[in-house]
Amino acid sequence: MTTPRTTALLFARAAAAAAGAALLAGCSAGPASAAPSTTTSPATTSAATGSASGGTGNRLDAAAERADASLVRRLFTQVFPDPSSAAAVRTAGRIVAPDAVSHGGPSGPAGLLAAFRADHGRIAEAHAVVKHLAADGDLVAVHWQLTADVHDERQGEAAVDLFRVSGGRVVEHWSLAQPVATGKPASGNTNTMFSDLYRAPAAQRHPSERQEERNRRFAVSAYDTLFRDHDVSVLDRDFDPGYLQHNPVAPNGTAALKKLFGGGTGFPAQESVVSLSDGDLVWTFSRPVGASADSPFLAADLFRVDGGLIREHWDVVPPAAG
């Protein structure tokens, strides 16, 4: 884990960022978000292993995923509140393997404890508010807010942390974060970076593990078609025209994306290299096409999939270093 979460950033996510077209603005995280090396085309991923999308666990083992999710959640509920306490040190030592890889920081429990202490150093009376959590295969992802006020979603930092779990312990970890936007955005989008706004038209059962896997493949394909292939027709096929956007500089709906990608701006191709699906949410972690296997992530994106369409979107895009 990176000790300062705002590490040096290596890749521009989109050329428009420099020009001020902040719809997809931002740059990649530094070494803390280097991608796992086990990545190939997500279209050929086996649900049993998930190796082609960054995971190596069984994506159909719901019981193991629940155990992994509970394990990681304890880091935020039992370790984060007072990472210098003896109790937190003991708990971190039980959850995080001694040789766990913490990209951009010390290995083992020390890396996580140092990062949490740095978070408290930046924000007085800091709280870690978990907004979304997913477990899929051997991966667990957490979308959370670092804030002094648990009732205010418009302050602090937005973060996504990714953990790999093996044998009941965290063995690898990446982190991305960005400041929460303040003030009224030019886009007019007043959604927070964390809220859940979509309401399904009718009560639905929790998706099965196999449906989650279908959702993952669907969302990853849509992401790559748009951001790697620059094919805007996917917006009409796979996105709700009024989909809900939590990127603070992008308005709701697909019209803005159509305008951006159809406006002649040249965007570097990027693709999903790690992905998870849990419930109706699909998470993707992207990097530039052709980047090395240990290159940093550009961003973490969350998509809500319902009825065969992408209905809602959140992201964490670390800003460029000052």
Side-chain angles (χ1 to χ4, degrees):
M1 177 180 286
T2 306
T3 298
R5 290 180 181 271
T6 53
T7 56
L9 310 171
L10 304 181
F11 293 102
R13 183 175 187 186
L23 178 59
L24 299 172
C27 300
S28 72
S33 55
S37 59
T38 54
T39 56
T40 56
S41 172
T44 60
T45 303
S46 164
T49 64
S51 60
S53 55
T56 56
N58 184 353
R59 291 185 182 271
L60 304 182
D61 190 342
E65 292 172 356
R66 286 193 296 269
D68 290 348
S70 177
L71 183 80
V72 168
R73 188 180 291 274
R74 290 173 57 200
L75 294 174
F76 292 87
T77 60
Q78 299 179 19
V79 177
F80 182 90
D82 187 2
S84 296
S85 70
V89 172
R90 287 194 301 270
T91 300
R94 289 192 291 265
I95 295 175
V96 182
D99 58 350
V101 177
S102 298
H103 293 271
S107 62
L112 177 124
L113 291 165
F116 282 175
R117 286 194 292 268
D119 292 338
H120 282 274
R122 289 197 309 282
I123 297 181
E125 303 295 327
H127 299 271
V129 184
V130 174
K131 301 295 185 176
H132 304 98
L133 188 149
D136 196 12
D138 63 351
L139 299 175
V140 178
V142 184
H143 180 216
W144 60 287
Q145 181 187 14
L146 174 64
T147 179
D149 184 350
V150 298
H151 303 293
D152 186 355
E153 292 190 333
R154 300 186 185 278
Q155 65 168 257
E157 297 176 13
V160 168
D161 284 27
L162 178 66
F163 302 85
R164 189 187 305 281
V165 179
S166 178
R169 304 185 87 176
V170 170
V171 296
E172 198 166 9
H173 173 247
W174 302 259
S175 181
L176 301 86
Q178 73 174 89
V180 171
T182 59
K184 185 176 181 180
S187 67
N189 184 351
T190 58
N191 303 339
T192 74
M193 295 183 69
F194 308 103
S195 57
D196 290 90
L197 300 179
Y198 176 73
R199 297 293 179 265
Q204 297 179 346
R205 298 176 59 186
H206 189 282
S208 67
E209 291 290 319
R210 294 192 180 279
Q211 182 59 53
E212 288 177 355
E213 177 63 12
R214 287 192 289 269
N215 287 349
R216 185 185 67 82
R217 292 169 180 260
F218 166 77
V220 168
S221 176
Y223 183 94
D224 287 346
T225 300
L226 183 61
F227 287 94
R228 182 191 63 202
D229 305 335
H230 299 165
D231 181 356
V232 296
S233 68
V234 72
L235 294 170
D236 292 322
R237 293 193 305 272
D238 294 347
F239 287 72
D240 182 339
Y243 91 115
L244 297 159
Q245 174 66 265
H246 296 275
N247 181 312
V249 295
N252 293 327
T254 57
L257 286 174
K258 289 180 180 179
K259 182 177 180 181
L260 183 67
F261 279 90
T265 302
F267 293 104
Q270 59 197 59
E271 61 188 352
S272 171
V273 294
V274 176
S275 57
L276 302 82
S277 182
D278 198 353
D280 61 356
L281 296 183
V282 176
W283 308 53
T284 70
F285 296 79
S286 59
R287 70 180 182 193
V289 171
S292 62
D294 60 352
S295 294
F297 292 137
L298 293 174
D301 292 84
L302 289 73
F303 299 96
R304 189 183 303 282
V305 178
D306 180 50
L309 291 174
I310 292 173
R311 307 286 187 174
E312 194 165 10
H313 170 253
W314 305 257
D315 61 8
V316 169
V317 186

